[in-house]
Amino acid sequence: MAFTHLHVHTEYSLLDGACRIEKLLDKAQEMGQKSVAITDHGVMYGVIDFYSAMKDAGMHPVIGCEAYVCRDRRDKSYVSREYSHLILLCENQTGYRNLVKLVSAGFTEGFYYKPRIDYKLLKEHTEGLICLSACLSGDLPKLLLQGRTEDAKAYALEMQALFGKGNYFVEIMDHGLPEERTVLPRLKALARETGIPLVATNDCHYLYREDAAAQEVLMCIQTGKTLQDETRMRMETEELYVKSEAEMLSLFSDCPQAVHQAGEIAARCQVTFEFGKLHLPRFPIETGETALEMLTRLCREGLRARYPDQADDPESEPSARLAYELDMISRMGYVDYFLIVWDFIDYAKRNGIMVGPGRGSGAGSIVAYTLGITQLDPLRYQLLFERFLNPERMSMPDLDIDFCYERRQEVIDYVARKYGADHVAQIITFGTMKAKAVVRDVGRVLGMSYASVDQVAKAIPFALDMTLEKALDISPQLRRMVDEDVQVARLYEMSLALEGMPRHASTHAAGVLITAQPVTDYVPLQLNDDVVTTQFPMGTLERLGLLKMDFLGLRNLTVLDDAVKMVQRGH
């Protein structure tokens, strides 16, 4: 395999990487490269999007991460704030699972300014991983820059022993930085002395050399600085772009094998994802029944309560409809799903937590109606079950459940206790830099006055699907400002370069994931304001066949609950 970039930061290195996945693929294909890696800083947010886009383009994806490593992940005192970088690439499925464990622990156990792991944890999860010594922020280059040659040699040999011979590589880069020019011959000498192979990479943060300015603005947004601030964090080079194989061979003409090594490593990395296969948790049953037997019994009991005059007649419409739905649910593998939903709704009702009547296509199910999940008679209103569940449209059933806003968390906590806290997580969502927001962010970074930026932002029409290009076409005021004011034109062009990129991660208002095995057997986790969430958003989890539930907190239910209690107290 030809040269492959093994050190790449996509837009999911939030407010740092500016390599949009789709455009990254286009650039790689333009240069004839058949493979690319994803190694975002401390996270795996974009792994599935990247994998899918690569496969769709007929390219070979390499899954990885640039981890933050410290001496003790549990030490969160000021003196332990320093960390180093390390590139970890997944050679196989075991490596992927280990990387998920490491990245998750970086947040849940080691987060202190950054999601950090330590060497003790790393030692437990090296199988299936290939390690590169990283950029100037790696421990190996740091030791060599400090003149501690013997310590560096001992460290490199220790890492080789940790990962296994042939799984640890000395990473070399040349972006024209003085420190790189100093450490590069030392890295090469160390590789010769230890026999540890070299691999050449470029620390890719953007696609083209001319994108360096946009990436600098991105970092200013992250750090709250302006371009005029001389103390701001900045990249002292414009070489952090996706280079061609010829450029890499020119940079490392004295060691072409290090360039070819990157392609050989990429060829070894063979991680695959299976989409569409269900991984539903099992509902715990203590009665000795099968899940289908229990569901059928509960539905029959509900049928007698809902249709007392027809429940015992197997030929009646309610009985026939129930039999049809139960058969369909069983054949599609969703029996446990209905029991899980029934159980936490039953818990809420037994504990005085107000629950909504159900909404959406789930109201067309007589199973949901007889279980008390919904309160609308699907027969009376001629609602179709097939809109909710249809064997010709294989998608997960989706019951949106409303709870009292103030007590919603009690239901989530119940689910965590029942299935295990490590089997339940809330779901991440990403805030993106939309048209108006990106203009305000970029305007601040460029040092423009609030009034000037506000005028530009207000010239962008309000619409959910509004983009800067569309705004320029339909807003004469915006067009005039861009055409007549050089500063506004620069603001527009820079905003256009960053529009749509993810800006921050937060917690989905309703989504909760419940898994059969611990969540980290499937997806990486992180912390958002002390809430454990997945690193993959809702749509990705569904594609992976995982069970996502919507626990919606509805203020109207809280108001109604308060009103009922006030009436009861008054009478």
Side-chain angles (χ1 to χ4, degrees), residues 375-453:
Q375 302 301 323
L376 205 64
D377 186 343
L379 300 184
R380 179 181 177 186
Y381 296 102
Q382 299 181 321
L383 302 177
L384 298 175
F385 174 68
E386 288 76 14
R387 283 198 61 218
F388 172 59
L389 211 55
N390 190 329
E392 295 180 7
R393 181 176 55 86
M394 289 299 292
S395 61
M396 294 279 279
D398 189 15
L399 286 162
D400 293 336
I401 313 297
D402 297 314
F403 295 101
C404 165
Y405 178 81
E406 292 178 352
R407 301 188 65 188
R408 163 184 174 267
Q409 189 60 43
E410 292 180 42
V411 186
I412 296 174
D413 291 343
Y414 166 75
V415 170
R417 289 194 304 272
K418 188 171 187 83
Y419 299 96
D422 58 342
H423 290 242
V424 177
Q426 292 187 239
I427 297 172
I428 202 170
T429 185
F430 295 101
T432 57
M433 292 190 281
K434 297 192 183 296
K436 286 178 179 284
V438 73
V439 163
R440 294 189 184 279
D441 274 333
V442 173
R444 181 191 57 75
V445 169
L446 295 180
M448 295 175 64
S449 70
Y450 176 84
S452 299
V453 176

Coordinates of all heavy atoms in Angstrom, one line a residue, residues 375-453:
Q375 N -52.0 5.6 25.7 CA -53.3 5.7 26.2 C -54.4 6.0 25.1 O -55.5 6.3 25.4 CB -53.4 6.9 27.3 CG -52.4 6.7 28.4 CD -52.6 5.4 29.2 OE1 -53.8 5.0 29.4 NE2 -51.6 4.8 29.6
L376 N -54.0 5.8 23.9 CA -54.9 6.0 22.8 C -55.3 4.7 22.1 O -54.4 3.9 21.8 CB -54.2 6.9 21.7 CG -55.1 7.8 20.8 CD1 -55.8 8.8 21.6 CD2 -54.2 8.5 19.8
D377 N -56.6 4.5 22.0 CA -57.1 3.2 21.4 C -56.8 3.2 19.9 O -57.5 4.0 19.1 CB -58.6 3.1 21.7 CG -59.2 1.8 21.2 OD1 -58.5 1.1 20.4 OD2 -60.3 1.5 21.7
P378 N -55.9 2.3 19.4 CA -55.6 2.3 18.0 C -56.7 1.8 17.1 O -56.8 2.2 15.9 CB -54.4 1.4 17.9 CG -54.5 0.5 19.1 CD -55.1 1.4 20.2
L379 N -57.6 1.0 17.7 CA -58.8 0.5 16.9 C -59.8 1.5 16.7 O -60.4 1.7 15.6 CB -59.3 -0.8 17.6 CG -58.4 -1.9 17.8 CD1 -59.1 -3.1 18.4 CD2 -57.7 -2.3 16.5
R380 N -60.1 2.2 17.8 CA -61.1 3.3 17.7 C -60.8 4.4 16.7 O -61.6 4.9 15.9 CB -61.3 3.9 19.1 CG -62.4 5.1 19.1 CD -62.5 5.7 20.5 NE -63.4 6.8 20.5 CZ -63.7 7.6 21.5 NH1 -63.0 7.4 22.7 NH2 -64.5 8.6 21.4
Y381 N -59.5 4.7 16.6 CA -59.1 5.8 15.7 C -58.4 5.3 14.5 O -57.8 6.0 13.7 CB -58.1 6.7 16.5 CG -58.8 7.4 17.6 CD1 -58.6 7.0 19.0 CD2 -59.7 8.5 17.4 CE1 -59.2 7.6 20.0 CE2 -60.3 9.1 18.5 CZ -60.1 8.7 19.8 OH -60.7 9.3 20.8
Q382 N -58.5 3.9 14.2 CA -58.0 3.3 13.0 C -56.6 3.6 12.7 O -56.2 4.0 11.6 CB -58.9 3.7 11.8 CG -60.4 3.3 12.0 CD -61.3 3.7 10.8 OE1 -61.1 4.7 10.3 NE2 -62.2 2.8 10.5
L383 N -55.7 3.5 13.7 CA -54.3 3.8 13.6 C -53.6 2.5 13.1 O -53.9 1.4 13.6 CB -53.7 4.3 14.9 CG -54.4 5.5 15.5 CD1 -53.8 5.9 16.9 CD2 -54.3 6.7 14.6
L384 N -52.6 2.7 12.3 CA -51.9 1.6 11.6 C -50.7 1.2 12.4 O -49.8 2.0 12.7 CB -51.5 1.9 10.2 CG -52.6 2.3 9.2 CD1 -52.0 2.7 7.9 CD2 -53.5 1.1 9.0
F385 N -50.6 -0.1 12.8 CA -49.4 -0.7 13.5 C -48.2 -0.6 12.5 O -47.0 -0.4 13.0 CB -49.7 -2.1 13.9 CG -48.5 -2.8 14.4 CD1 -48.0 -2.5 15.7 CD2 -47.9 -3.9 13.7 CE1 -46.9 -3.1 16.2 CE2 -46.8 -4.5 14.3 CZ -46.3 -4.2 15.5
E386 N -48.4 -0.8 11.2 CA -47.3 -0.8 10.3 C -46.5 0.5 10.2 O -45.4 0.5 9.7 CB -47.8 -1.3 8.9 CG -48.2 -2.7 8.8 CD -49.5 -3.0 9.5 OE1 -50.3 -2.0 9.8 OE2 -49.8 -4.2 9.7
R387 N -47.1 1.6 10.6 CA -46.4 2.8 10.6 C -45.3 2.8 11.7 O -44.3 3.6 11.6 CB -47.3 4.0 10.8 CG -48.1 4.4 9.5 CD -48.7 5.8 9.7 NE -47.6 6.8 9.8 CZ -47.7 7.9 10.6 NH1 -48.7 8.1 11.4 NH2 -46.7 8.7 10.7
F388 N -45.6 2.0 12.7 CA -44.7 1.9 13.8 C -43.6 0.8 13.6 O -42.4 1.0 13.8 CB -45.5 1.7 15.1 CG -44.7 1.4 16.3 CD1 -43.7 2.3 16.8 CD2 -44.8 0.2 17.0 CE1 -43.0 2.0 18.0 CE2 -44.1 -0.1 18.2 CZ -43.2 0.8 18.6
L389 N -44.1 -0.3 13.2 CA -43.2 -1.5 13.0 C -43.6 -2.2 11.7 O -44.7 -2.5 11.5 CB -43.4 -2.4 14.2 CG -42.1 -3.2 14.7 CD1 -41.0 -2.3 14.9 CD2 -42.5 -4.0 15.9
N390 N -42.6 -2.3 10.9 CA -42.9 -2.9 9.6 C -41.7 -3.8 9.1 O -40.6 -3.3 9.0 CB -43.1 -1.8 8.5 CG -43.6 -2.3 7.2 OD1 -43.3 -3.4 6.8 ND2 -44.4 -1.4 6.5
P391 N -41.9 -5.0 8.9 CA -40.8 -5.9 8.5 C -40.1 -5.5 7.2 O -39.0 -5.9 6.9 CB -41.5 -7.3 8.3 CG -42.9 -7.0 8.1 CD -43.2 -5.8 8.9
E392 N -40.8 -4.7 6.3 CA -40.3 -4.3 5.1 C -39.4 -3.0 5.3 O -38.8 -2.6 4.3 CB -41.4 -4.0 4.0 CG -42.1 -5.3 3.7 CD -43.2 -5.0 2.7 OE1 -43.3 -3.9 2.2 OE2 -44.0 -5.9 2.4
R393 N -39.5 -2.4 6.4 CA -38.7 -1.2 6.7 C -38.0 -1.5 8.0 O -38.5 -1.1 9.1 CB -39.6 0.0 6.8 CG -38.9 1.3 7.1 CD -39.9 2.5 7.1 NE -41.0 2.3 8.0 CZ -40.9 2.7 9.3 NH1 -39.8 3.2 9.8 NH2 -42.0 2.5 10.0
M394 N -36.9 -2.1 7.9 CA -36.2 -2.6 9.1 C -35.5 -1.4 9.9 O -34.4 -0.9 9.5 CB -35.1 -3.6 8.8 CG -35.7 -4.9 8.4 SD -36.6 -5.7 9.6 CE -35.4 -6.1 10.8
S395 N -36.2 -0.9 10.8 CA -35.7 0.2 11.7 C -36.1 -0.1 13.1 O -37.2 -0.7 13.3 CB -36.2 1.6 11.2 OG -37.6 1.6 11.3
M396 N -35.4 0.4 14.1 CA -35.7 0.2 15.5 C -37.0 0.9 15.8 O -37.3 2.0 15.3 CB -34.6 0.8 16.3 CG -33.2 0.1 16.2 SD -33.1 -1.4 17.2 CE -32.8 -0.7 18.8
P397 N -37.8 0.2 16.6 CA -39.0 0.9 17.1 C -38.6 2.1 17.9 O -37.6 2.1 18.5 CB -39.7 -0.2 18.0 CG -38.7 -1.1 18.3 CD -37.7 -1.1 17.2
D398 N -39.5 3.1 17.9 CA -39.1 4.4 18.6 C -40.3 4.9 19.3 O -41.2 5.5 18.7 CB -38.6 5.4 17.5 CG -38.0 6.6 18.2 OD1 -37.7 6.5 19.4 OD2 -37.8 7.6 17.5
L399 N -40.3 4.6 20.6 CA -41.4 5.2 21.5 C -40.9 6.4 22.3 O -40.0 6.2 23.1 CB -41.9 4.1 22.4 CG -42.7 2.9 21.8 CD1 -42.8 1.7 22.8 CD2 -44.2 3.4 21.6
D400 N -41.4 7.5 22.0 CA -41.1 8.7 22.7 C -41.9 8.8 24.0 O -43.2 8.9 23.9 CB -41.3 10.0 21.9 CG -40.3 10.0 20.7 OD1 -39.3 9.4 20.8 OD2 -40.6 10.7 19.7
I401 N -41.3 8.8 25.1 CA -42.0 8.7 26.4 C -41.8 10.1 27.1 O -40.7 10.5 27.4 CB -41.6 7.6 27.3 CG1 -41.5 6.3 26.5 CG2 -42.5 7.4 28.5 CD1 -42.8 5.8 25.9
D402 N -42.9 10.7 27.5 CA -42.9 12.0 28.3 C -43.0 11.7 29.7 O -43.9 10.9 30.2 CB -44.0 12.9 27.8 CG -43.9 13.3 26.4 OD1 -42.7 13.7 26.0 OD2 -44.9 13.3 25.6
F403 N -42.1 12.3 30.5 CA -42.2 12.2 32.0 C -42.2 13.7 32.6 O -41.8 14.6 31.9 CB -41.0 11.5 32.5 CG -40.9 10.1 32.1 CD1 -40.0 9.7 31.1 CD2 -41.7 9.1 32.8 CE1 -39.9 8.3 30.7 CE2 -41.6 7.8 32.4 CZ -40.7 7.4 31.4
C404 N -42.7 13.7 33.8 CA -42.6 15.0 34.5 C -41.2 15.5 34.5 O -40.3 14.8 34.8 CB -43.1 14.7 36.0 SG -42.6 16.0 37.1
Y405 N -41.0 16.7 34.1 CA -39.7 17.3 33.9 C -38.9 17.2 35.2 O -37.7 16.9 35.1 CB -39.9 18.8 33.5 CG -38.6 19.5 33.3 CD1 -37.9 19.4 32.2 CD2 -38.1 20.4 34.3 CE1 -36.7 20.1 32.0 CE2 -36.9 21.0 34.2 CZ -36.2 20.9 33.0 OH -35.0 21.5 32.8
E406 N -39.5 17.4 36.3 CA -38.7 17.4 37.6 C -38.3 16.1 38.0 O -37.4 15.9 38.9 CB -39.5 18.2 38.7 CG -39.7 19.7 38.4 CD -40.5 20.3 39.5 OE1 -41.1 19.6 40.3 OE2 -40.6 21.6 39.4
R407 N -39.0 15.0 37.6 CA -38.7 13.7 38.1 C -38.2 12.7 37.0 O -38.1 11.5 37.3 CB -40.0 13.1 38.8 CG -40.4 14.0 39.9 CD -41.5 13.4 40.7 NE -41.1 12.2 41.4 CZ -41.9 11.3 42.0 NH1 -43.2 11.6 42.0 NH2 -41.5 10.3 42.6
R408 N -38.0 13.2 35.8 CA -37.5 12.4 34.7 C -36.2 11.6 35.1 O -36.1 10.4 34.8 CB -37.2 13.2 33.5 CG -36.3 12.6 32.4 CD -36.0 13.6 31.3 NE -35.1 13.2 30.4 CZ -33.8 13.4 30.4 NH1 -33.3 14.1 31.4 NH2 -33.0 12.9 29.5
Q409 N -35.3 12.3 35.9 CA -34.0 11.6 36.2 C -34.2 10.4 37.1 O -33.5 9.5 37.1 CB -33.1 12.6 36.9 CG -31.7 12.1 37.1 CD -31.0 11.8 35.8 OE1 -31.1 12.5 34.9 NE2 -30.3 10.6 35.9
E410 N -35.3 10.4 37.9 CA -35.6 9.3 38.7 C -35.8 8.0 37.9 O -35.4 6.9 38.3 CB -36.8 9.5 39.6 CG -36.7 10.6 40.7 CD -37.9 10.8 41.5 OE1 -38.6 9.8 41.8 OE2 -38.3 12.0 41.7
V411 N -36.5 8.2 36.8 CA -36.7 7.0 35.9 C -35.4 6.5 35.3 O -35.2 5.3 35.2 CB -37.7 7.4 34.8 CG1 -38.1 6.1 34.0 CG2 -39.0 8.0 35.4
I412 N -34.6 7.5 34.8 CA -33.3 7.1 34.3 C -32.4 6.4 35.4 O -31.8 5.4 35.1 CB -32.5 8.4 33.8 CG1 -33.3 9.0 32.6 CG2 -31.1 8.0 33.3 CD1 -32.8 10.3 32.1
D413 N -32.5 6.9 36.6 CA -31.7 6.3 37.7 C -32.2 4.8 37.9 O -31.4 3.9 38.2 CB -31.8 7.1 38.9 CG -31.1 8.4 38.8 OD1 -30.2 8.6 37.9 OD2 -31.4 9.3 39.7
Y414 N -33.5 4.6 37.8 CA -34.1 3.3 38.0 C -33.6 2.4 36.9 O -33.2 1.2 37.2 CB -35.6 3.4 37.9 CG -36.3 2.0 37.8 CD1 -36.4 1.1 38.8 CD2 -36.8 1.6 36.5 CE1 -37.0 -0.1 38.7 CE2 -37.4 0.4 36.4 CZ -37.5 -0.5 37.5 OH -38.0 -1.7 37.3
V415 N -33.6 2.8 35.7 CA -33.1 2.0 34.6 C -31.6 1.6 34.8 O -31.2 0.5 34.6 CB -33.3 2.7 33.3 CG1 -32.5 2.0 32.1 CG2 -34.7 2.8 32.9
A416 N -30.8 2.6 35.3 CA -29.4 2.4 35.6 C -29.2 1.3 36.7 O -28.3 0.4 36.6 CB -28.7 3.7 36.0
R417 N -30.1 1.4 37.7 CA -30.0 0.4 38.8 C -30.4 -1.0 38.3 O -29.8 -2.0 38.6 CB -30.9 0.8 40.0 CG -30.5 2.0 40.8 CD -31.2 2.1 42.1 NE -32.7 2.2 41.9 CZ -33.3 3.3 41.7 NH1 -32.7 4.5 41.6 NH2 -34.7 3.3 41.6
K418 N -31.4 -1.1 37.5 CA -31.9 -2.4 37.0 C -31.0 -3.1 36.1 O -30.8 -4.3 36.2 CB -33.3 -2.2 36.3 CG -34.0 -3.5 36.0 CD -35.4 -3.3 35.5 CE -36.1 -4.6 35.4 NZ -36.7 -5.1 36.6
Y419 N -30.4 -2.3 35.1 CA -29.5 -3.0 34.1 C -28.0 -2.8 34.4 O -27.2 -3.4 33.7 CB -29.9 -2.4 32.7 CG -31.3 -2.7 32.3 CD1 -32.3 -1.7 32.6 CD2 -31.7 -3.9 31.9 CE1 -33.6 -2.0 32.3 CE2 -33.0 -4.2 31.6 CZ -34.0 -3.2 31.8 OH -35.3 -3.5 31.5
G420 N -27.7 -2.0 35.4 CA -26.3 -1.7 35.8 C -25.9 -0.4 35.2 O -26.1 -0.1 34.0
A421 N -25.2 0.4 36.1 CA -24.8 1.7 35.6 C -23.9 1.7 34.4 O -23.9 2.6 33.6 CB -24.1 2.4 36.8
D422 N -23.1 0.6 34.3 CA -22.2 0.5 33.1 C -22.9 0.0 31.9 O -22.3 -0.2 30.8 CB -21.0 -0.5 33.5 CG -21.5 -1.9 33.9 OD1 -22.7 -2.0 34.2 OD2 -20.6 -2.8 33.9
H423 N -24.2 -0.3 32.0 CA -25.0 -0.7 30.8 C -25.9 0.5 30.3 O -26.7 0.3 29.4 CB -25.9 -1.9 31.1 CG -25.1 -3.1 31.4 ND1 -25.3 -4.3 30.6 CD2 -24.2 -3.5 32.3 CE1 -24.5 -5.2 31.0 NE2 -23.8 -4.8 32.0
V424 N -25.8 1.6 31.0 CA -26.7 2.7 30.6 C -25.9 4.0 30.5 O -25.0 4.3 31.3 CB -27.8 2.9 31.8 CG1 -28.7 4.1 31.4 CG2 -28.6 1.7 31.9
A425 N -26.2 4.8 29.5 CA -25.5 6.1 29.3 C -26.5 7.0 28.5 O -27.3 6.6 27.8 CB -24.2 5.9 28.5
Q426 N -26.3 8.3 28.8 CA -27.0 9.2 28.0 C -26.3 9.5 26.7 O -25.2 8.9 26.5 CB -27.3 10.5 28.8 CG -28.2 10.2 30.0 CD -28.7 11.5 30.7 OE1 -28.5 11.6 32.0 NE2 -29.3 12.4 30.1
I427 N -26.8 10.2 25.8 CA -26.3 10.3 24.4 C -25.8 11.7 24.1 O -26.4 12.7 24.5 CB -27.4 9.8 23.5 CG1 -27.8 8.4 23.8 CG2 -27.0 10.0 22.0 CD1 -29.0 7.9 23.0
I428 N -24.7 11.7 23.4 CA -24.1 12.9 23.0 C -24.8 13.6 21.9 O -25.5 13.0 21.1 CB -22.6 12.7 22.6 CG1 -21.8 14.0 22.8 CG2 -22.5 12.1 21.2 CD1 -20.3 13.7 22.6
T429 N -24.7 14.9 21.8 CA -25.1 15.6 20.6 C -24.1 16.7 20.4 O -23.4 17.2 21.3 CB -26.5 16.2 20.8 OG1 -26.9 16.8 19.6 CG2 -26.6 17.3 21.9
F430 N -23.9 17.2 19.1 CA -22.9 18.2 18.8 C -23.6 19.5 18.4 O -24.5 19.5 17.6 CB -22.0 17.7 17.7 CG -21.2 16.5 18.1 CD1 -21.5 15.2 17.7 CD2 -20.1 16.6 18.9 CE1 -20.8 14.1 18.0 CE2 -19.3 15.5 19.2 CZ -19.7 14.3 18.8
G431 N -23.1 20.6 19.0 CA -23.5 21.9 18.5 C -22.6 22.3 17.4 O -21.3 22.2 17.5
T432 N -23.1 22.8 16.3 CA -22.3 23.1 15.2 C -22.3 24.6 14.9 O -23.2 25.4 15.4 CB -22.8 22.4 13.9 OG1 -24.2 22.8 13.7 CG2 -22.7 20.9 14.0
M433 N -21.3 25.1 14.2 CA -21.2 26.5 13.9 C -22.1 26.9 12.7 O -21.6 26.8 11.6 CB -19.7 26.9 13.7 CG -18.9 26.8 14.9 SD -17.2 27.5 14.8 CE -16.4 26.2 13.9
K434 N -23.3 27.2 13.0 CA -24.2 27.6 12.0 C -24.0 29.0 11.5 O -23.2 29.8 12.1 CB -25.7 27.4 12.5 CG -26.0 26.0 12.8 CD -27.5 25.8 13.0 CE -27.8 24.3 13.5 NZ -27.4 23.3 12.4
A435 N -24.7 29.5 10.5 CA -24.4 30.7 9.8 C -24.2 31.9 10.7 O -23.1 32.6 10.7 CB -25.5 31.0 8.7
K436 N -25.2 32.2 11.5 CA -25.1 33.4 12.3 C -24.1 33.3 13.4 O -23.3 34.2 13.7 CB -26.5 33.7 13.0 CG -27.5 34.3 12.0 CD -28.8 34.5 12.8 CE -29.9 35.1 11.9 NZ -29.7 36.6 11.7
A437 N -24.0 32.0 14.0 CA -23.1 31.8 15.1 C -21.6 31.9 14.7 O -20.8 32.4 15.4 CB -23.4 30.4 15.8
V438 N -21.3 31.3 13.5 CA -20.0 31.3 13.1 C -19.5 32.7 12.7 O -18.3 33.1 13.0 CB -19.8 30.3 11.9 CG1 -20.4 30.9 10.6 CG2 -18.3 30.0 11.7
V439 N -20.4 33.5 12.2 CA -20.0 34.9 11.9 C -19.7 35.7 13.2 O -18.7 36.4 13.3 CB -21.2 35.6 11.2 CG1 -21.0 37.1 11.2 CG2 -21.2 35.2 9.7
R440 N -20.5 35.4 14.2 CA -20.2 36.1 15.5 C -18.9 35.6 16.1 O -18.1 36.4 16.7 CB -21.3 35.9 16.5 CG -22.6 36.5 16.0 CD -23.7 36.5 17.1 NE -25.0 37.0 16.7 CZ -25.2 38.4 16.6 NH1 -24.3 39.2 17.0 NH2 -26.4 38.8 16.2
D441 N -18.6 34.3 16.0 CA -17.4 33.7 16.6 C -16.2 34.3 15.8 O -15.2 34.7 16.4 CB -17.4 32.2 16.4 CG -18.0 31.5 17.6 OD1 -18.0 32.1 18.7 OD2 -18.6 30.4 17.5
V442 N -16.2 34.2 14.5 CA -15.1 34.7 13.7 C -14.9 36.2 13.8 O -13.7 36.6 13.9 CB -15.3 34.2 12.2 CG1 -14.2 34.8 11.3 CG2 -15.3 32.7 12.1
G443 N -16.0 36.9 13.8 CA -15.9 38.4 14.0 C -15.1 38.8 15.3 O -14.3 39.7 15.3
R444 N -15.4 38.1 16.4 CA -14.7 38.3 17.6 C -13.2 38.0 17.5 O -12.4 38.8 17.9 CB -15.3 37.5 18.7 CG -14.7 37.7 20.1 CD -15.1 36.7 21.1 NE -14.8 35.4 20.7 CZ -13.6 34.8 20.8 NH1 -12.5 35.6 21.1 NH2 -13.4 33.6 20.4
V445 N -12.9 36.9 16.9 CA -11.5 36.5 16.7 C -10.7 37.5 15.8 O -9.6 37.8 16.1 CB -11.4 35.1 16.1 CG1 -10.0 34.8 15.7 CG2 -11.9 34.0 17.1
L446 N -11.4 38.1 14.8 CA -10.8 39.0 13.9 C -10.6 40.4 14.6 O -10.0 41.3 14.0 CB -11.6 39.1 12.6 CG -11.6 37.9 11.7 CD1 -12.4 38.2 10.5 CD2 -10.2 37.4 11.3
G447 N -11.2 40.6 15.7 CA -11.1 41.8 16.4 C -12.0 42.9 16.0 O -11.9 44.1 16.3
M448 N -13.1 42.5 15.2 CA -14.1 43.5 14.8 C -15.0 43.9 15.9 O -15.1 43.2 16.9 CB -14.9 42.8 13.7 CG -14.1 42.5 12.4 SD -15.1 41.7 11.2 CE -16.4 42.9 10.8
S449 N -15.5 45.1 15.8 CA -16.4 45.6 16.9 C -17.7 44.8 17.0 O -18.1 44.2 15.9 CB -16.7 47.0 16.7 OG -17.6 47.2 15.5
Y450 N -18.3 44.7 18.1 CA -19.5 44.0 18.3 C -20.6 44.5 17.4 O -21.3 43.7 16.7 CB -20.0 44.0 19.7 CG -21.4 43.4 20.0 CD1 -21.4 42.0 20.2 CD2 -22.6 44.1 19.9 CE1 -22.6 41.3 20.3 CE2 -23.8 43.4 20.0 CZ -23.8 42.1 20.3 OH -25.0 41.5 20.4
A451 N -20.7 45.8 17.2 CA -21.7 46.5 16.4 C -21.6 46.0 14.9 O -22.6 45.8 14.3 CB -21.7 48.0 16.5
S452 N -20.3 46.0 14.4 CA -20.1 45.6 13.0 C -20.5 44.2 12.8 O -21.1 43.9 11.8 CB -18.6 45.8 12.7 OG -18.2 47.2 12.9
V453 N -20.1 43.3 13.7 CA -20.4 41.9 13.5 C -21.9 41.7 13.7 O -22.5 40.9 12.9 CB -19.6 41.0 14.6 CG1 -20.0 39.6 14.5 CG2 -18.1 41.2 14.4

